Amino acid sequence: MRADPIQRAIDEDLVRVLYAQDPIAFFSHWFSIAVLVGIYWPTIPSPPLFIACFSFYAATNCASLALWICNRRYPQLVSPRGWIYLHALRGVLLYSMPGIAVWFAFQSPQTDLPLLHTVMLVTLAAGVFMSNGFDLLNFSTAIPFLLFPSIVLHFGSHTFDRTILAIVLAFFFCAINVYALSYRKLFRQVVQARVDQQYLAESLAAQKHVAEEASLAKTRFFAAASHDLRQPLHAIGLLAASLNDAAATPTQHAKTAEHIVYNVEALNQLFNQVLDLARLESGVTQVIRLHFRLSELFERVGSQYRPQAAAKGLALRIAPTTMVVHDDPVLLERVLSNLLSNAVRYTEEGAIWLGFRRAGRSSGGYIEVRDSGIGIPVEEHERVFEEFYQVANPQRDARQGHGLGLPTVKRLVGMLGGELQLRSAPGRGSVFRLPVQAGEVGGIVASLNEAVAGGPSAQGRHVLCIDDDPSILEGLSSLLGRWGCSVRGARDEVDALVALEEGFVPDAVLCDYQLANHRTGAQALAAVRNVLTRAGHDNVVTLLITGDMASAELAALALQGIPVLHKPVTPARLRRTLEMLWQQAELDKGRAVATAALRATPEDDAAQSALVKAGVESSAANPLTRETGRQSQPISPQSEPQK
């Protein structure tokens, strides 16, 4: 993964270094031409060849300067590797001339010319080592053309002095190649260290940018959240103080109380929206995919928003479809509810359309929500998915929502493995599209609109409540008592174990997550389950209740299928959850009995198989209940959607 960037960085550095030496090389080669012409001038062997050779040498030297100028002015003309190849070609042409010209020394009657010419070649070779030694291609195309002709001619002279000189030249050639190899390794290490440092600096800069963006987003989030939370609190305080006004009439008191209730509902709604976002961010929300008919889900959400649309004179049209999808109906219902609520809120006339389109997909397709509302400018398409941002509500009127719906929708669609698409323009309405996967008709186990089979009620149940807050224990005891339950309260894990030792056998254990003495509800539930299992009571329902949203342990518990309710928990939601868990426990017990009977009496396989199948189908009823492992978790309350 890192080889290409490093090699490119090496190539870029090679180009800079190679061409940086060319002006010096240009004057060095003119000096070499002048010296060689000077020593050969008295007796020039083969004048036509000599003139042609040195003219080509001079022309090549001028061409190398032109190449240097071109690189300086047009560095993007070719790639770094291309500039290296051009420089190597320049080296072949430039250094072959003085290397081949040594032949004139052996043709001259002056016996000292071969030695003088060889000294000049060694000098040029030293310059090649300094300027081109860190690149194999440029070095290997210059040195051989420079030294090989001289080595061959000295060996071919068959004299002792020339042979010794040829051996020395060969040794010099080998040595300079060895040193050049070390030179190249060092150069690569230096460049790699620089690249690593550059990557580290870029990574740190990116992380710093992300941290700064996260800090700014967090600041904006808390600023907007604190404003929207303070507004109803401030109103409630003023309204509550006005109730003490003795001069106020009963009608005024009733109106004030009505305003207080309205602000309390708005505060609770905003609080639930923030908690929903926190749940999504913390990873405790589970995705449970089922096969179901999309038309049933459309009918569920359509029945919720038809009255609101009709009250504004809008037509809510739902396109009929026979599509079966494989997705999470709970999360998908929350997405569509948010989008439809947005469409109703921001559409004043016209219609809202909900339907399914194939859109060219061979498997699955897209759910679309269209409206003829105010629309969203193109430059705002990204910002509408930011928390507390609203296009058409600069005064932050709470009646227009709080700007948390679309951020929630985008996160939910991302959890489902898709990408939310938006197409909108001012005055032309909006279209939201999200992908769904095709399901199988044979995989449908129940209708989404099917009521949960009548399960066991809370009457006569024994419930163990573990919480270190006395007021919460008192509230739970009072609530469960009104349902007909027998309740035993425990302040911590020790009190709970004492209650079990005294013979209290619970049908359900409700436990807070954060307990005293640095203990957690997960630890307390594990200890209680161990004691109950040893006593033969392994079908006891357990339920964890917490206000924590970001604990890693909570995310792990959610993955294990342990039901977790997040505060605030309404009485209706608590009862619904308990009844579902008790129903699931009895179905599990029935399946275990049926399986044991099957093993004991194999001749009655058909009847027992029917019993087990009936138990499985019953447990699968109402898939809009969160089934996690052996226990169930009810649908979360829907967030109020906002643009």
Side-chain angles (χ1 to χ4, degrees):
M1 296 297 292
R2 295 289 305 281
D4 289 342
I6 290 177
Q7 186 58 53
R8 182 171 180 84
I10 290 175
D11 289 348
E12 290 173 351
D13 281 6
L14 280 175
V15 170
R16 284 193 292 269
V17 177
L18 286 172
Y19 284 87
Q21 308 295 324
D22 284 354
I24 299 176
F26 175 75
F27 292 105
S28 299
H29 283 287
W30 275 117
F31 177 77
S32 173
I33 292 172
V35 170
L36 291 176
V37 170
I39 63 176
Y40 284 106
W41 187 258
T43 55
I44 299 178
S46 305
L49 288 177
F50 185 89
I51 294 172
C53 179
F54 279 88
S55 297
F56 185 81
Y57 188 11
T60 305
N61 194 28
C62 293
S64 69
L65 182 64
L67 181 64
W68 174 79
I69 295 173
C70 185
N71 173 263
R72 295 277 293 184
R73 292 189 176 182
Y74 312 105
Q76 304 300 325
L77 188 61
V78 295
S79 65
R81 178 51 50 177
W83 285 117
I84 293 174
Y85 289 149
L86 289 174
H87 198 273
L89 177 62
R90 162 259 189 200
V92 171
L93 299 176
L94 188 62
Y95 289 101
S96 60
M97 287 301 99
I100 294 173
V102 74
W103 176 81
F104 294 108
F106 285 87
Q107 302 302 314
S108 174
Q110 301 183 47
T111 57
D112 57 344
L113 282 183
L115 179 60
L116 293 175
H117 198 117
T118 300
V119 170
M120 179 61 68
L121 295 179
V122 170
T123 304
L124 290 175
V128 172
F129 172 77
M130 296 300 296
S131 61
N132 296 356
F134 37 77
D135 178 49
L136 177 62
L137 180 63
N138 276 267
F139 184 76
S140 60
T141 53
I143 290 294
F145 286 100
L146 199 59
L147 296 180
F148 274 1
S150 181
I151 294 173
V152 171
L153 290 173
H154 280 294
F155 267 118
S157 64
H158 302 296
T159 64
F160 179 76
D161 293 341
R162 300 290 173 81
T163 302
I164 294 297
L165 184 57
I167 293 173
V168 171
L169 279 176
F171 178 79
F172 173 75
F173 176 81
C174 295
I176 201 172
N177 273 279
V178 171
Y179 282 114
L181 178 62
S182 301
Y183 195 11
R184 287 192 294 273
K185 288 182 178 179
L186 178 62
F187 182 81
R188 184 179 182 86
Q189 290 172 358
V190 170
V191 175
Q192 185 164 351
R194 182 182 62 79
V195 172
D196 288 339
Q197 186 178 14
Q198 183 177 352
Y199 269 105
L200 180 60
E202 291 174 354
S203 176
L204 290 175
Q207 292 177 15
K208 181 182 178 183
H209 179 71
V210 170
E212 290 175 348
E213 287 293 322
S215 178
L216 289 174
K218 183 178 179 181
T219 301
R220 289 194 299 267
F221 179 86
F222 281 115
S226 63
H227 173 272
D228 286 3
L229 286 170
R230 287 174 185 272
Q231 287 294 92
L233 285 173
H234 179 64
I236 291 170
L238 295 176
L239 292 168
S242 67
L243 290 176
N244 295 325
D245 186 2
T249 64
T251 303
Q252 291 174 327
H253 278 161
K255 189 173 183 179
T256 300
E258 182 181 345
H259 285 304
I260 290 176
V261 171
Y262 170 80
N263 281 279
V264 168
E265 290 177 351
L267 185 62
N268 187 57
Q269 196 174 62
L270 174 59
F271 194 61
N272 284 331
Q273 289 177 329
V274 175
L275 291 182
D276 276 347
L277 277 177
R279 273 195 289 268
L280 294 174
E281 293 291 341
S282 63
V284 299
T285 300
Q286 298 161 301
V287 177
I288 302 176
R289 302 186 188 277
L290 301 172
H291 299 272
F292 61 93
R293 291 181 177 86
L294 194 57
S295 59
E296 296 176 356
L297 181 60
F298 284 176
E299 185 57 36
R300 284 179 64 91
V301 295
S303 63
Q304 297 176 33
Y305 291 98
R306 275 197 183 95
Q308 298 180 29
K312 295 185 67 174
L314 304 174
L316 176 55
R317 300 190 178 98
I318 299 180
T321 178
T322 59
M323 185 65 186
V324 175
V325 300
H326 182 233
D327 220 318
D328 188 315
V330 175
L331 301 184
L332 201 54
E333 181 177 1
R334 290 172 63 186
V335 169
L336 296 182
S337 296
N338 277 275
L339 293 177
L340 284 178
S341 180
N342 259 1
V344 172
R345 177 174 290 113
Y346 291 100
T347 303
E348 297 302 327
E349 59 181 12
I352 299 168
W353 185 88
L354 170 64
F356 172 81
R357 292 180 180 274
R358 289 281 185 182
R361 294 184 64 181
S362 58
S363 176
Y366 296 91
I367 295 176
E368 287 189 359
V369 177
R370 299 169 174 261
D371 64 60
S372 56
I374 60 175
I376 305 171
V378 176
E379 61 271 14
E380 303 285 349
H381 283 191
E382 292 295 329
R383 296 206 62 191
V384 293
F385 296 106
E386 297 177 6
E387 293 84 355
F388 292 101
Y389 182 80
Q390 294 172 288
V391 176
N393 191 14
Q395 293 81 19
R396 301 206 57 79
D397 182 2
R399 290 172 296 182
Q400 293 293 323
H402 302 281
L404 293 176
L406 287 182
T408 301
V409 166
K410 186 173 184 179
R411 285 170 172 80
L412 286 171
V413 174
M415 285 185 60
L416 294 173
E419 182 179 355
L420 183 65
Q421 301 176 20
L422 167 62
R423 187 171 70 252
S424 182
R428 301 182 62 182
S430 302
V431 178
F432 289 90
R433 171 190 278 192
L434 58 134
V436 289
Q437 296 296 323
E440 300 176 0
V441 177
I444 300 175
V445 295
S447 169
L448 299 187
N449 298 324
E450 181 180 324
V452 179
S457 67
Q459 186 70 35
R461 295 283 183 175
H462 291 72
V463 181
L464 176 62
C465 299
I466 308 173
D467 200 303
D468 56 358
D469 190 327
S471 61
I472 293 180
L473 276 182
E474 183 179 351
L476 283 174
S477 299
S478 175
L479 177 64
L480 294 169
R482 291 197 302 271
W483 295 347
C485 298
S486 176
V487 184
R488 179 72 178 266
R491 297 288 300 275
D492 52 26
E493 178 183 328
V494 175
D495 286 352
L497 297 178
V498 169
L500 299 181
E501 291 175 0
E502 293 176 355
F504 185 82
V505 180
D507 296 296
V509 181
L510 309 183
C511 187
D512 188 27
Y513 180 65
Q514 295 289 353
L515 298 176
N517 301 320
H518 304 289
R519 300 290 290 176
T520 66
Q523 295 170 323
L525 287 179
V528 169
R529 279 199 301 264
N530 288 336
V531 173
L532 291 172
T533 301
R534 288 197 300 268
H537 307 290
D538 54 356
N539 283 325
V540 176
V541 164
T542 57
L543 182 61
L544 202 61
I545 302 175
T546 180
D548 196 340
M549 292 293 172
S551 170
E553 186 177 8
L554 278 178
L557 293 174
L559 291 176
Q560 296 170 19
I562 297 176
V564 179
L565 289 183
H566 294 272
K567 299 175 182 178
V569 180
T570 62
R573 187 180 179 195
L574 178 61
R575 181 159 187 170
R576 171 74 169 174
T577 303
L578 286 174
E579 288 180 352
M580 286 301 304
L581 292 177
W582 281 325
Q583 179 183 355
Q584 184 66 42
E586 291 196 0
L587 289 171
D588 289 344
K589 185 178 180 180
R591 283 198 294 268
V593 172
T595 303
L598 276 172
R599 293 175 179 172
T601 57
E603 67 277 2
D604 199 15
D605 285 347
Q608 297 295 344
S609 297
L611 175 62
V612 174
K613 182 179 179 182
V616 171
E617 290 180 350
S618 177
S619 68
N622 192 9
L624 286 188
T625 301
R626 279 271 183 249
E627 292 194 7
T628 53
R630 293 170 54 89
Q631 298 171 321
S632 304
Q633 178 181 347
I635 184 172
S636 302
Q638 295 170 358
S639 304
E640 179 193 357
Q642 299 296 333
K643 280 188 180 177

